[in-house]
Amino acid sequence: MIRLSLIIPAAGSGVRLGMKTPKPFIELGGRTILQHTIDKFIDIPELGQLLIVASAQNIDRVKSLVSDHDRSDVDISVVEGGDERQDSISNALKFVDKRCDLVAIHDAVRPFIEKNVVEECISKAMKYGAAIPGIPVKDTVKVLNDEQLVESTPDRSSLWQIQTPQIFKRQILFDAYDHAKNAGFTGTDDSSLVENLGIKVHVVKSSYENFKITYPIDLKLAELKVGGEL
Ligand code: C5P
């Protein structure tokens, strides 16, 4: 049986949402966004370990939020995050159980991930070493310079928006984080660190449902979805 360690980074400040409460702790239909996200993974048979990353002041809060899950075969821990998302993951990696074949990283603020996407990422990561979900971009994307002038327009047909869970063989992810640390590289996702090792990353087609709650409009959408209105 494949054994999966899942890291959920939840140590962000939520500045872009403009709210006092950090995003993972905002409630939708009586449950926090973080709990909705955990609900999507807790029944996955491969899950052997769950590591939730929280800022120091929220560690106890997260511990009490996860106490309602009763999978006795899953080792659940809450670990402290860092200044940037990459620091948060880097710290969580120190606690990954060496018996796990795969490590998945999933943003706390993507509570609508679909099970079939997770399953496909697990199977592709087992086969190829690295798998991430994504969707083709719907808008045209432009590259701008510092003066807000267009420099170029990349061909849209090859552009994809990448989401989480990003899943990797354990040693590949460890090597990628070591390499990034030595090179002083900071990426906006975990896959970019793995790509820097020269490893091919497989993309699994996901859907728009798996959006990241970032702006107030995303929160509205999430409220409608949890309320069954969408
Ligand atoms: O900021 P961004 O939207 O990329 O955050 C994605 C996820 O990473 C969120 O769930 C957030 O809580 C988490 N994060 C973290 N530690 C940080 C910054 C973000 O765990 N220092």
Coordinates of all heavy atoms in Angstrom, one line a residue, residues 9-13 16 23-24 53 81-85 88 107-109 212 214, ligand 1:
P9 N -0.1 23.8 4.3 CA 0.4 25.1 4.8 C -0.8 26.0 5.1 O -1.7 26.3 4.3 CB 1.2 25.7 3.7 CG 0.8 25.0 2.4 CD 0.1 23.7 2.8
A10 N -0.9 26.5 6.4 CA -2.0 27.4 6.8 C -1.4 28.5 7.7 O -2.1 29.0 8.6 CB -3.0 26.5 7.6
A11 N -0.2 28.9 7.3 CA 0.5 29.9 8.2 C 0.5 31.3 7.5 O 1.3 32.2 8.0 CB 1.9 29.5 8.5
G12 N -0.3 31.5 6.5 CA -0.3 32.8 5.8 C -1.1 33.8 6.6 O -1.9 33.5 7.5
S13 N -0.8 35.1 6.2 CA -1.5 36.2 7.0 C -2.8 36.6 6.3 O -3.7 37.2 7.0 CB -0.6 37.4 7.0 OG -0.3 37.8 5.7
R16 N -4.2 39.8 1.3 CA -4.9 40.2 0.1 C -6.4 40.1 0.3 O -7.2 40.7 -0.4 CB -4.5 39.3 -1.0 CG -3.1 39.7 -1.6 CD -2.7 38.7 -2.6 NE -2.3 37.4 -2.1 CZ -1.9 36.4 -2.8 NH1 -1.7 36.5 -4.1 NH2 -1.6 35.2 -2.2
K23 N -7.1 33.6 6.5 CA -8.1 32.8 5.6 C -8.5 31.4 6.1 O -9.6 31.1 6.1 CB -7.5 32.7 4.2 CG -7.6 34.0 3.4 CD -7.1 33.8 2.0 CE -5.5 33.7 2.0 NZ -5.0 33.5 0.6
P24 N -7.5 30.6 6.5 CA -7.9 29.2 6.9 C -8.9 29.2 8.0 O -9.6 28.2 8.2 CB -6.6 28.6 7.3 CG -5.5 29.4 6.6 CD -6.0 30.8 6.6
V53 N 0.6 23.2 8.9 CA 1.6 24.2 9.3 C 0.8 25.5 9.7 O 0.0 26.0 8.9 CB 2.5 24.6 8.1 CG1 3.7 25.4 8.6 CG2 3.0 23.3 7.4
G81 N 5.1 27.5 11.2 CA 5.4 27.9 9.8 C 6.5 29.0 9.9 O 7.1 29.3 10.9
G82 N 6.8 29.6 8.7 CA 7.9 30.6 8.6 C 7.3 31.8 7.9 O 6.1 31.9 7.6
D83 N 8.3 32.7 7.6 CA 7.9 34.0 7.0 C 7.2 33.8 5.6 O 6.2 34.5 5.3 CB 9.1 34.9 6.8 CG 9.6 35.4 8.2 OD1 8.8 35.3 9.1 OD2 10.8 35.8 8.2
E84 N 7.8 33.0 4.8 CA 7.3 32.8 3.4 C 6.7 31.4 3.4 O 7.1 30.5 4.2 CB 8.4 32.9 2.4 CG 9.1 34.3 2.4 CD 8.1 35.4 2.0 OE1 7.2 35.1 1.2 OE2 8.3 36.5 2.5
R85 N 5.8 31.1 2.4 CA 5.3 29.8 2.2 C 6.4 28.7 2.1 O 6.3 27.7 2.7 CB 4.4 29.8 1.0 CG 3.6 28.4 0.7 CD 2.9 28.5 -0.6 NE 2.1 27.3 -0.8 CZ 2.6 26.2 -1.3 NH1 3.9 26.0 -1.5 NH2 1.8 25.1 -1.5
S88 N 7.6 27.8 5.4 CA 6.7 26.9 6.1 C 6.8 25.5 5.7 O 6.8 24.6 6.5 CB 5.2 27.4 5.8 OG 5.0 28.7 6.4
D107 N -2.6 23.7 -0.4 CA -3.0 24.9 0.3 C -4.2 24.8 1.1 O -5.2 24.2 0.7 CB -3.3 26.0 -0.8 CG -2.0 26.4 -1.6 OD1 -0.9 26.3 -1.0 OD2 -2.2 26.8 -2.7
A108 N -4.1 25.3 2.4 CA -5.3 25.2 3.3 C -6.5 25.9 2.7 O -7.6 25.6 3.0 CB -4.9 25.9 4.6
V109 N -6.2 26.9 1.7 CA -7.3 27.7 1.2 C -7.9 27.2 -0.2 O -8.4 28.0 -0.9 CB -6.9 29.2 1.2 CG1 -6.7 29.7 2.6 CG2 -5.5 29.3 0.4
K212 N -8.2 29.0 -5.4 CA -7.6 29.3 -4.1 C -8.3 30.5 -3.6 O -8.5 31.5 -4.3 CB -6.1 29.7 -4.4 CG -5.4 30.1 -3.1 CD -3.9 30.0 -3.3 CE -3.4 31.2 -4.1 NZ -1.9 31.3 -4.0
T214 N -8.5 33.7 -2.3 CA -7.4 34.8 -2.3 C -8.0 36.2 -2.0 O -7.6 36.9 -1.2 CB -6.6 34.8 -3.6 OG1 -6.1 33.5 -3.8 CG2 -5.4 35.8 -3.5
Ligands
C5P1 O1 -0.1 33.3 0.1 P1 -0.6 32.2 -0.7 O2 -2.0 32.4 -1.2 O3 0.3 31.7 -1.8 O4 -0.7 31.0 0.4 C1 -1.0 29.7 0.0 C2 -1.1 28.9 1.3 O5 0.2 28.9 2.0 C3 -2.1 29.4 2.3 O6 -2.8 28.2 2.8 C4 -1.3 30.0 3.4 O7 -1.9 29.9 4.7 C5 0.0 29.2 3.3 N1 1.2 30.0 3.8 C6 2.0 29.5 4.8 N2 3.1 30.2 5.3 C7 3.4 31.4 4.8 C8 2.6 32.0 3.7 C9 1.5 31.2 3.2 O8 1.7 28.4 5.3 N3 4.4 32.1 5.3

